[in-house]
Amino acid sequence: MNDVSTRAPARGTKSLTLPNILTYARIAAIPVVVGCIFAQSILGGPLSLRWVALAVFIAAAITDFLDGYYARIWDQHSAFGRMLDPIADKLLVASCLLMLAADGIIHGWTLWAAIVILCREILVSGLREYLAALRVSLPVTKLAKWKTTVQLVAIGFLLAGDAGDEVLPYTTQIGLILLWISALVTMYTGYDYFRAGIHHLIEEDSR
């Protein structure tokens, strides 16, 4: 009886490990970043709000590295964490891209770069979910990790926007160039994932 009562809480606390708490913090940062950009751009607030948005975004991006790091060194991997971590990443990136489009920083042809990134994230997520039902794993490649890094750096430059241009000329242009680079790599990694996914599906059908 005592053995059962002591084990139950241990299962319940898996969602409250430090890696998962860091993931929760990344999700909580989204309305702060979006709210600051909205207040500065749409409501005409001070440029200092962009620095606040950038600081919170950088902190959120760091948690993306730390949650995986602590999960590995402390062996705190969980199915819940594996599910929530990529969702938090996609929510952060998608929210920022949409807000930057509304802000006008992302406009014209650069909107296609944002569309490619968003479509790829949705398609790969759907593919992963389908393969998970077949108990097939689709691990993240090193190139995809570099893509994510470039993507986050690009968004950081774009969040700084006009405020960044006052400190470092061409800040916005640098962000747009990095966003295009990220979009091109996104297309390649997306194709790579789909090729691997189709290979698994063919193997599954042949059994």
Side-chain angles (χ1 to χ4, degrees):
M1 183 69 179
N2 291 335
D3 184 53
V4 173
S5 62
T6 55
R7 286 182 184 177
R11 294 192 194 98
T13 57
K14 284 186 178 181
S15 62
L16 292 177
T17 60
L18 180 58
N20 286 344
I21 291 173
L22 290 172
T23 303
Y24 300 148
R26 187 154 70 257
I27 295 174
I30 295 171
V32 178
V33 175
V34 171
C36 286
I37 299 300
F38 183 86
Q40 188 281 315
S41 176
I42 310 300
L43 301 181
L47 281 178
S48 59
L49 287 171
R50 286 196 168 270
W51 293 119
V52 176
L54 178 60
V56 175
F57 177 79
I58 291 173
I62 291 173
T63 66
D64 188 23
F65 165 76
L66 291 179
D67 60 9
Y69 173 74
Y70 286 123
R72 286 192 300 273
I73 65 171
W74 291 344
D75 194 22
Q76 291 185 337
H77 296 283
S78 67
F80 179 75
R82 286 191 294 272
M83 178 273 297
L84 189 63
D85 181 64
I87 290 176
D89 296 341
K90 289 169 177 56
L91 286 175
L92 180 63
V93 169
S95 298
C96 288
L97 289 177
L98 290 173
M99 194 64 243
L100 288 167
D103 175 30
I105 293 290
I106 297 177
H107 64 281
W109 286 99
T110 310
L111 284 170
W112 286 106
I115 290 170
V116 166
I117 291 171
L118 292 176
C119 287
R120 182 265 189 193
E121 298 298 346
I122 294 170
L123 290 172
V124 171
S125 295
L127 179 63
R128 274 207 174 98
E129 184 177 350
Y130 179 74
L131 291 176
L134 301 177
R135 296 185 179 181
V136 174
S137 173
L138 196 63
V140 178
T141 64
K142 288 184 178 181
L143 184 59
K145 291 180 179 179
W146 277 107
K147 180 271 302 179
T148 300
T149 301
V150 175
Q151 192 170 273
L152 293 175
V153 172
I155 292 174
F157 273 92
L158 295 174
L159 287 174
D162 294 336
D165 288 332
E166 292 183 353
V167 177
L168 176 66
Y170 306 111
T171 292
T172 301
Q173 285 73 15
I174 292 172
L176 293 175
I177 291 171
L178 290 174
L179 190 67
W180 272 111
I181 293 173
S182 175
L184 293 174
V185 178
T186 288
M187 292 177 66
Y188 178 80
T189 57
Y191 166 76
D192 205 30
Y193 279 131
F194 270 97
R195 184 178 60 181
I198 291 172
H199 175 71
H200 285 301
L201 291 176
I202 292 174
E203 284 189 343
E204 185 70 21
D205 291 339
S206 63
R207 291 175 183 174

